[in-house]
Amino acid sequence: MKLRLHFVVDPMGWLCISVVFGIWLYNTFFVPKLVLHPHYDEGHIPWALVVCYYLASALCVMALLRASTADPGRLPVDPHIPHSEREQWELCNKCNLMRPKRSHHCSRCGHCVRRMDHHCPWINNCVGEDNHWLFLQLCFYTQVLSLFTLVLDFCQYYYFQPLTRLDQFTTRHELALLRVSALMGVVMFGGMSSLFYSQMAGVLSVSTLRTLNCCIFLLRYGTKRTWQWALAEVCGTRWKLLWLLPLRSRQPLHAGHHYRSHV
């Protein structure tokens, strides 16, 4: 399945995503320059710590780029509606196109999006059925990178051994740069933790599941769907490792397939 790209022409969205990218770029450049590289060169920290930080940074920016450019679930102009599902479709009073229930019209994007959650200016894109999993990845990896940065900033002050070789730039600006990094880390970690919690609560809530599919699942298996199935439906795969990989495409799952079956 090809990766479908989606770009929104919105100057305010471009500004917001530029701020997010700037914060990522700041911490990816200055934290290794001030903390990781000097202490690694003097043998205070292992190479695995440096690799883990760059890995978290790379996954964070990949999730950002994919969430901001992936098609959120835009409906085609002339959708094919199966006869058995016509009762589940309705007419949008803004674009005059047929859409399935739980779809919403986005005034910023100018079209309807399947299972739209909200339009996020920080990624300049809607969060819908086809990129919700990428938005969850972005929240998760931003938390990881922000917490990693805060721990490194704290260790630079109170735990790491003093450096014996300091350049002029580090001596003059280290304190100010680390304070800015710590401030951004606190803001990003707090904001993304709250957002990630609310998003996960919505995904795992029975009220957010499609009523028809939930009834089919209850009748067929006699039990409610587990949290694994809810996340597998959002991520488009039952393999949990793939839930964490942003460079892949999403395949929709069907409620009629049992969770324990193989892909």
mmCIF file of all heavy atoms in Angstrom, residues 78-92 97-102 212:
data_model
loop_
_atom_site.group_PDB
_atom_site.id
_atom_site.type_symbol
_atom_site.label_atom_id
_atom_site.label_comp_id
_atom_site.label_asym_id
_atom_site.label_seq_id
_atom_site.Cartn_x
_atom_site.Cartn_y
_atom_site.Cartn_z
ATOM 1 N N ASP A 78 -16.304 10.871 -5.219
ATOM 2 C CA ASP A 78 -17.358 9.916 -5.576
ATOM 3 C C ASP A 78 -17.048 8.575 -4.919
ATOM 4 O O ASP A 78 -16.536 7.652 -5.551
ATOM 5 C CB ASP A 78 -17.442 9.768 -7.101
ATOM 6 C CG ASP A 78 -18.628 8.922 -7.524
ATOM 7 O OD1 ASP A 78 -19.544 8.737 -6.696
ATOM 8 O OD2 ASP A 78 -18.629 8.432 -8.673
ATOM 9 N N PRO A 79 -17.343 8.441 -3.616
ATOM 10 C CA PRO A 79 -16.971 7.207 -2.913
ATOM 11 C C PRO A 79 -17.870 6.035 -3.322
ATOM 12 O O PRO A 79 -19.036 6.205 -3.670
ATOM 13 C CB PRO A 79 -17.190 7.570 -1.443
ATOM 14 C CG PRO A 79 -18.268 8.608 -1.473
ATOM 15 C CD PRO A 79 -18.021 9.396 -2.739
ATOM 16 N N HIS A 80 -17.281 4.850 -3.263
ATOM 17 C CA HIS A 80 -18.052 3.633 -3.519
ATOM 18 C C HIS A 80 -18.703 3.190 -2.215
ATOM 19 O O HIS A 80 -18.010 2.879 -1.241
ATOM 20 C CB HIS A 80 -17.139 2.527 -4.060
ATOM 21 C CG HIS A 80 -17.832 1.197 -4.181
ATOM 22 N ND1 HIS A 80 -18.808 0.943 -5.118
ATOM 23 C CD2 HIS A 80 -17.688 0.039 -3.455
ATOM 24 C CE1 HIS A 80 -19.252 -0.294 -4.978
ATOM 25 N NE2 HIS A 80 -18.574 -0.861 -3.984
ATOM 26 N N ILE A 81 -20.014 3.160 -2.188
ATOM 27 C CA ILE A 81 -20.759 2.831 -0.974
ATOM 28 C C ILE A 81 -21.397 1.456 -1.157
ATOM 29 O O ILE A 81 -22.293 1.295 -1.994
ATOM 30 C CB ILE A 81 -21.851 3.874 -0.686
ATOM 31 C CG1 ILE A 81 -21.248 5.283 -0.650
ATOM 32 C CG2 ILE A 81 -22.549 3.568 0.628
ATOM 33 C CD1 ILE A 81 -22.272 6.383 -0.485
ATOM 34 N N PRO A 82 -20.967 0.449 -0.421
ATOM 35 C CA PRO A 82 -21.614 -0.861 -0.511
ATOM 36 C C PRO A 82 -23.088 -0.765 -0.112
ATOM 37 O O PRO A 82 -23.456 0.023 0.762
ATOM 38 C CB PRO A 82 -20.809 -1.717 0.476
ATOM 39 C CG PRO A 82 -19.499 -1.005 0.639
ATOM 40 C CD PRO A 82 -19.813 0.442 0.490
ATOM 41 N N HIS A 83 -23.907 -1.550 -0.765
ATOM 42 C CA HIS A 83 -25.346 -1.491 -0.514
ATOM 43 C C HIS A 83 -25.675 -1.811 0.938
ATOM 44 O O HIS A 83 -26.599 -1.223 1.525
ATOM 45 C CB HIS A 83 -26.069 -2.458 -1.453
ATOM 46 C CG HIS A 83 -27.565 -2.419 -1.301
ATOM 47 N ND1 HIS A 83 -28.342 -1.377 -1.777
ATOM 48 C CD2 HIS A 83 -28.423 -3.294 -0.687
ATOM 49 C CE1 HIS A 83 -29.613 -1.600 -1.481
ATOM 50 N NE2 HIS A 83 -29.691 -2.773 -0.831
ATOM 51 N N SER A 84 -24.915 -2.729 1.542
ATOM 52 C CA SER A 84 -25.199 -3.130 2.920
ATOM 53 C C SER A 84 -24.804 -2.067 3.943
ATOM 54 O O SER A 84 -25.193 -2.165 5.107
ATOM 55 C CB SER A 84 -24.469 -4.436 3.244
ATOM 56 O OG SER A 84 -23.065 -4.274 3.074
ATOM 57 N N GLU A 85 -24.035 -1.059 3.526
ATOM 58 C CA GLU A 85 -23.556 -0.040 4.466
ATOM 59 C C GLU A 85 -24.163 1.336 4.200
ATOM 60 O O GLU A 85 -23.728 2.319 4.811
ATOM 61 C CB GLU A 85 -22.025 0.066 4.391
ATOM 62 C CG GLU A 85 -21.306 -1.219 4.760
ATOM 63 C CD GLU A 85 -19.798 -1.070 4.676
ATOM 64 O OE1 GLU A 85 -19.351 0.080 4.416
ATOM 65 O OE2 GLU A 85 -19.083 -2.065 4.848
ATOM 66 N N ARG A 86 -25.160 1.410 3.334
ATOM 67 C CA ARG A 86 -25.691 2.721 2.984
ATOM 68 C C ARG A 86 -26.370 3.407 4.160
ATOM 69 O O ARG A 86 -26.420 4.632 4.213
ATOM 70 C CB ARG A 86 -26.661 2.588 1.816
ATOM 71 C CG ARG A 86 -25.969 2.192 0.515
ATOM 72 C CD ARG A 86 -26.853 2.349 -0.689
ATOM 73 N NE ARG A 86 -26.112 2.082 -1.926
ATOM 74 C CZ ARG A 86 -26.604 2.227 -3.141
ATOM 75 N NH1 ARG A 86 -27.875 2.613 -3.290
ATOM 76 N NH2 ARG A 86 -25.851 1.970 -4.200
ATOM 77 N N GLU A 87 -26.905 2.627 5.092
ATOM 78 C CA GLU A 87 -27.528 3.230 6.266
ATOM 79 C C GLU A 87 -26.497 3.888 7.180
ATOM 80 O O GLU A 87 -26.870 4.696 8.031
ATOM 81 C CB GLU A 87 -28.317 2.174 7.039
ATOM 82 C CG GLU A 87 -29.519 1.621 6.283
ATOM 83 C CD GLU A 87 -30.298 0.629 7.118
ATOM 84 O OE1 GLU A 87 -29.843 0.357 8.254
ATOM 85 O OE2 GLU A 87 -31.341 0.140 6.650
ATOM 86 N N GLN A 88 -25.232 3.513 7.010
ATOM 87 C CA GLN A 88 -24.171 4.071 7.833
ATOM 88 C C GLN A 88 -23.554 5.320 7.218
ATOM 89 O O GLN A 88 -22.568 5.838 7.744
ATOM 90 C CB GLN A 88 -23.079 3.024 8.070
ATOM 91 C CG GLN A 88 -23.573 1.744 8.722
ATOM 92 C CD GLN A 88 -24.134 1.987 10.109
ATOM 93 O OE1 GLN A 88 -23.596 2.784 10.873
ATOM 94 N NE2 GLN A 88 -25.216 1.290 10.433
ATOM 95 N N TRP A 89 -24.101 5.793 6.116
ATOM 96 C CA TRP A 89 -23.590 6.975 5.438
ATOM 97 C C TRP A 89 -24.600 8.107 5.537
ATOM 98 O O TRP A 89 -25.808 7.893 5.690
ATOM 99 C CB TRP A 89 -23.283 6.684 3.972
ATOM 100 C CG TRP A 89 -22.060 5.828 3.779
ATOM 101 C CD1 TRP A 89 -21.899 4.530 4.187
ATOM 102 C CD2 TRP A 89 -20.836 6.208 3.139
ATOM 103 N NE1 TRP A 89 -20.656 4.064 3.840
ATOM 104 C CE2 TRP A 89 -19.976 5.077 3.193
ATOM 105 C CE3 TRP A 89 -20.378 7.367 2.521
ATOM 106 C CZ2 TRP A 89 -18.696 5.082 2.655
ATOM 107 C CZ3 TRP A 89 -19.102 7.380 1.978
ATOM 108 C CH2 TRP A 89 -18.274 6.251 2.057
ATOM 109 N N GLU A 90 -24.105 9.331 5.449
ATOM 110 C CA GLU A 90 -24.948 10.512 5.532
ATOM 111 C C GLU A 90 -24.380 11.596 4.627
ATOM 112 O O GLU A 90 -23.243 11.498 4.163
ATOM 113 C CB GLU A 90 -25.025 11.018 6.975
ATOM 114 C CG GLU A 90 -23.679 11.378 7.562
ATOM 115 C CD GLU A 90 -23.735 11.690 9.044
ATOM 116 O OE1 GLU A 90 -24.792 11.477 9.650
ATOM 117 O OE2 GLU A 90 -22.704 12.143 9.579
ATOM 118 N N LEU A 91 -25.179 12.627 4.376
ATOM 119 C CA LEU A 91 -24.767 13.718 3.495
ATOM 120 C C LEU A 91 -24.175 14.854 4.314
ATOM 121 O O LEU A 91 -24.777 15.305 5.298
ATOM 122 C CB LEU A 91 -25.970 14.223 2.690
ATOM 123 C CG LEU A 91 -25.673 15.349 1.686
ATOM 124 C CD1 LEU A 91 -24.784 14.835 0.563
ATOM 125 C CD2 LEU A 91 -26.978 15.933 1.134
ATOM 126 N N CYS A 92 -22.989 15.315 3.912
ATOM 127 C CA CYS A 92 -22.364 16.458 4.571
ATOM 128 C C CYS A 92 -23.033 17.735 4.068
ATOM 129 O O CYS A 92 -23.142 17.953 2.853
ATOM 130 C CB CYS A 92 -20.860 16.485 4.289
ATOM 131 S SG CYS A 92 -20.015 17.945 4.953
ATOM 132 N N LEU A 97 -21.229 16.050 0.009
ATOM 133 C CA LEU A 97 -20.736 14.737 -0.379
ATOM 134 C C LEU A 97 -21.162 13.716 0.657
ATOM 135 O O LEU A 97 -21.333 14.038 1.839
ATOM 136 C CB LEU A 97 -19.207 14.742 -0.508
ATOM 137 C CG LEU A 97 -18.612 15.649 -1.585
ATOM 138 C CD1 LEU A 97 -17.094 15.609 -1.521
ATOM 139 C CD2 LEU A 97 -19.099 15.231 -2.974
ATOM 140 N N MET A 98 -21.323 12.477 0.218
ATOM 141 C CA MET A 98 -21.672 11.404 1.138
ATOM 142 C C MET A 98 -20.456 11.018 1.969
ATOM 143 O O MET A 98 -19.325 10.972 1.473
ATOM 144 C CB MET A 98 -22.183 10.194 0.363
ATOM 145 C CG MET A 98 -23.497 10.433 -0.374
ATOM 146 S SD MET A 98 -24.863 10.862 0.754
ATOM 147 C CE MET A 98 -25.020 9.336 1.694
ATOM 148 N N ARG A 99 -20.710 10.745 3.220
ATOM 149 C CA ARG A 99 -19.633 10.379 4.128
ATOM 150 C C ARG A 99 -20.146 9.361 5.144
ATOM 151 O O ARG A 99 -21.338 9.377 5.505
ATOM 152 C CB ARG A 99 -19.112 11.613 4.879
ATOM 153 C CG ARG A 99 -20.150 12.222 5.821
ATOM 154 C CD ARG A 99 -19.660 13.488 6.466
ATOM 155 N NE ARG A 99 -20.607 13.975 7.479
ATOM 156 C CZ ARG A 99 -20.493 15.123 8.139
ATOM 157 N NH1 ARG A 99 -19.466 15.923 7.876
ATOM 158 N NH2 ARG A 99 -21.378 15.476 9.048
ATOM 159 N N PRO A 100 -19.289 8.461 5.636
ATOM 160 C CA PRO A 100 -19.721 7.519 6.677
ATOM 161 C C PRO A 100 -19.887 8.241 8.010
ATOM 162 O O PRO A 100 -19.318 9.307 8.238
ATOM 163 C CB PRO A 100 -18.574 6.503 6.731
ATOM 164 C CG PRO A 100 -17.394 7.234 6.203
ATOM 165 C CD PRO A 100 -17.913 8.210 5.190
ATOM 166 N N LYS A 101 -20.704 7.673 8.855
ATOM 167 C CA LYS A 101 -20.900 8.259 10.180
ATOM 168 C C LYS A 101 -19.578 8.264 10.952
ATOM 169 O O LYS A 101 -18.724 7.432 10.754
ATOM 170 C CB LYS A 101 -21.972 7.487 10.945
ATOM 171 C CG LYS A 101 -23.362 7.636 10.334
ATOM 172 C CD LYS A 101 -24.411 6.911 11.158
ATOM 173 C CE LYS A 101 -25.805 7.122 10.546
ATOM 174 N NZ LYS A 101 -26.853 6.425 11.306
ATOM 175 N N ARG A 102 -19.478 9.240 11.838
ATOM 176 C CA ARG A 102 -18.257 9.539 12.597
ATOM 177 C C ARG A 102 -17.221 10.254 11.750
ATOM 178 O O ARG A 102 -16.096 10.466 12.194
ATOM 179 C CB ARG A 102 -17.638 8.284 13.231
ATOM 180 C CG ARG A 102 -18.319 7.827 14.495
ATOM 181 C CD ARG A 102 -17.347 7.108 15.404
ATOM 182 N NE ARG A 102 -16.252 7.985 15.795
ATOM 183 C CZ ARG A 102 -15.090 7.555 16.272
ATOM 184 N NH1 ARG A 102 -14.850 6.259 16.355
ATOM 185 N NH2 ARG A 102 -14.144 8.411 16.617
ATOM 186 N N LEU A 212 -21.468 -0.631 15.426
ATOM 187 C CA LEU A 212 -21.764 -1.809 14.629
ATOM 188 C C LEU A 212 -20.697 -2.872 14.793
ATOM 189 O O LEU A 212 -21.003 -4.043 15.028
ATOM 190 C CB LEU A 212 -21.884 -1.420 13.150
ATOM 191 C CG LEU A 212 -22.176 -2.570 12.171
ATOM 192 C CD1 LEU A 212 -23.506 -3.224 12.520
ATOM 193 C CD2 LEU A 212 -22.183 -2.061 10.734
#
